[in-house]
Amino acid sequence: MISYFSILIVDTMQTRNSIRCLFFCLFLLGACNRFPYADTNKVYKKQAKAYAEILRQYPLKDSMGLAYAGNWVGTTNFTMRRPNFVIIHHTAQNSCEQTLATFTLPRTQVSSHYVICKDGKVYHMLNDYLRGHHAGVSKWGNSTDLNSSSIGIEIDNNGFESFTEAQINSLIQLLERLKSTFNIPTSNFIGHGDIAPTRKVDPNWMFPWKALSEKGFGLWWNDTTGVAIPASFDHMQALRIVGYDIKDSSAAIRAFKQHFIQDTTKIMNEAGRKILYQLVKKYM
Ligand SMILES: [Zn+2]
């Protein structure tokens, strides 16, 4: 026979087990619903705060060793430095999710300001005033630190496929805003392959540079029908004037042909020389 006391004990134990079970279920639910980037967002905020502290420091400490005047005098007239280039990339990865994960893993040390997914969704990962790690070792004209002077835009694309209409529509909207906000010159919308011709080929040859140039992002060449090239025309010098690093001539030619002719070969031919002859006038 079960006494009233033993029923009470069993009852209490069941209640405890039920509460434990409830907490465990809530924990599981919480773990499932937790935003996967909550922790890395905290890292972003912490780093941004550390840089904000550097900006707030005064008297200024960035010219140690120089003879300071006794009293610090801060000017009243200044703004933030502004990006002057936009570098377009393809991610060479298989999904937006994969790219977001790559850009939030500290050991990769790579990032971009924006990521554009296949459905046109845009992730803004880094403040435009901060320096992303997307260009790497690169050169355009005499500029050798493109990360410091540019906005990086990564488009989700494995490198061997065309870009979606939704991606290009989102890209154009974004470029319009960047161009007007930072007064970026039309010629300064370029690709990763342009600034790092020996290392990179992105965005791939299917990227619609001509269509973008018609919207004011990047320069394009005029019709070459009936064009006669002067004997003195030096196509390597012309590539240098456009901005290409010509240390490796084959790489520079390939980069130019990929961007402006949708051709991935390394040999300069007469058609290419005519196009370059027309194009370089716009950079002079
Ligand atoms: Zn790239």
Side-chain angles (χ1 to χ4, degrees), residues 89-90 134 154 192 200 202:
H89 305 253
H90 68 222
H134 59 94
E154 289 274 1
H192 200 187
K200 298 291 176 179
D202 59 310

Side-chain angles (χ1 to χ4, degrees), residues 56-120:
R56 282 162 55 92
Q57 278 175 7
Y58 63 90
L60 299 180
K61 292 177 181 172
D62 62 349
S63 44
M64 293 287 270
L66 294 181
Y68 289 120
N71 295 316
W72 178 66
V73 180
T75 178
T76 53
N77 316 317
F78 59 95
T79 49
M80 299 282 278
R81 291 181 196 268
R82 302 187 303 176
N84 199 234
F85 288 87
V86 170
I87 309 298
I88 297 171
H89 305 253
H90 68 222
T91 58
Q93 296 203 309
N94 294 318
S95 69
C96 241
E97 289 67 33
Q98 193 184 0
T99 300
L100 296 180
T102 303
F103 288 174
T104 49
L105 267 181
R107 67 178 154 79
T108 69
Q109 277 304 303
V110 291
S111 60
S112 72
H113 295 81
Y114 299 91
V115 175
I116 305 182
C117 305
K118 288 210 163 53
D119 62 1

Side-chain angles (χ1 to χ4, degrees), residues 15 17 27 44 48 55 63 91 93 98 142 149 155 175 180 198-199 204 216 218 235 251 258 260 279:
T15 310
N17 283 341
F27 170 77
Y44 179 104
L55 294 180
S63 44
T91 58
Q93 296 203 309
Q98 193 184 0
N142 289 329
S149 56
I155 307 177
L175 295 182
S180 65
T198 57
R199 300 188 304 114
N204 76 47
H235 64 254
Q258 181 183 305
F260 292 100
L279 179 71

